[in-house]
Amino acid sequence: MYWLQGVLSSPWIIFIWVLLAALLVQLVYYWFIFSRLALYNASKRPVSGQKPPVSVVICAKNEYHNLVRFLPLILEQEYPEYEVVVVNDASDDDTFYLLRELSDKYSRLNVVNIHQNLNFFVGKKFPLSIGIRSARYDTVLLTDADCFPAGPHWIESMQSVFTGKTSIVLGYGAYISQPGLLNKLIRFDTLHVAMQYMSLALAGLPYMGVGRNLAYRRELFFNSGGFMKHYKITSGDDDLFINEVASGKNTRIQPAPEAVTFSKPKQTFGAWFRQKKRHLTTGGFYRPSHKIVLGLFSVSQFLFFSLLIALAVLKVDWMLLLGIYFLRLVSQAVIIKKSMIRLGEKNFLLLFPFFELFLMMINLMLGLTGLFSRKTQW
C-alpha cells in the first residue's frame, strides 16, 4: 500500500501513466494482432483441391551464378502444369547462354530476353511487367533469381490457398541461416516484418508482401493498371502494388514450411543497411490507414523504451519499472517464439531484446533521413 502511494505521489506520475499507456498499446499489438500469425491454425483454413496451371515469374539481371544453382530447383517442382518465365533484363554476363541451354532441357522454361536497356526508370518494375504480360496462366507466382524454394511442393503449397475470392497470397521469404551476429539480426528483422504483414493480413488489413515469395492473379494486375501509379518509385513492385490492390477479402497468407523460399542474406552491415534503406522508402506511399496502424506501433515502442530509461535515470521505483519491462518482455517472447516455430526460424530468440532496440534506432534514423530524401538507387 505504501509502495503504491509512493508511486502515485511521484512528481513523474504523468510520465508513468504515459509509459503504462505505451505498454498497453504494445500488449494489444502482440496479443491481438501479432498472435494471429503465432497461433495460426492451418487446419481451420480452407484449401483448394484443384491444381490449375501456374506461371512462375523471375526477373534476372546478371544473375548467372544464382540461376545456375537455383533455377533447376524451380523447374523441377512437383506440380502438374506450370511454366517458369525468366526475364533476362539486358544481362552482360553469361545469363543468355545459360537460359538457352536450360530451355533445351526444360520445355516449361519460357525465356524473355530484353537485349537493350529500355528501362527508363531504375528498378525491376519494367522487366517484371514484361514477365507478367508474357505469362500464359492466370496465377503468377513471383520470386527472385537469388531465391530457392524449401522443397518440391512450393508451387502446390502457394496455389492451394487460392480459394473463393482469393486473388493474392502472401508467402514468407526467409534468409539462409549462417554463422554470425549479422545473419541473426537480418533473420530477426525479416521475421518481425513478416509478423506484421502476415498478422495484419489475417486481421483484414493487408498492406504489403515480399517479392521473394508472392502470388496473385494476372487479371488483378491488369485491372489495377499494374505498377503505373508508382512506376517512377524505384522500389515497391511488391509492397506498393499489394498496398494498392489488397483487401481483407481477396488476400490470404501461406506460412506453411513447404511454401517458404530462401535467399542468401547480405554479408556486410553496409550492404544490409542500404538494402533496408531502399525497402523503407516505400512506407511513405502507403494508405493513410496503414501508416496509422504501423506508426502507432512504432511510436508506442519508442515511447516505451524512452520513458522506461528516463524514469530509471530519475530513480523512479525500480520494482515498478522492472515489472513493466518484464510484462512486455514475456509477452514478446511467447509471441516471437511461436512465430519462429510457425515460420521455421531458430537460434536468435535470446538475442531479440537487443535486436529490437538496435532495429528501432536504425528505423528511426532511416525514417528521419527519408523525410529529406526519397530517391534511392536500386
Side-chain angles (χ1 to χ4, degrees), residues 182 185 266-275 358 362 365:
L182 177 61
L185 172 65
K266 300 298 183 184
Q267 301 299 300
T268 65
F269 178 82
W272 170 75
F273 183 84
R274 288 190 294 272
Q275 181 189 54
F358 181 76
I362 289 289
M365 180 176 65

Side-chain angles (χ1 to χ4, degrees), residues 38 191 195 332-342 345-346 349 352:
L191 171 76
M195 285 171 57
Q332 268 189 301
V334 171
I335 299 302
I336 289 176
K337 175 61 176 178
K338 289 185 175 295
S339 297
M340 290 174 66
I341 295 172
R342 168 60 57 195
E345 295 287 5
K346 56 185 179 180
L349 180 63
F352 85 82

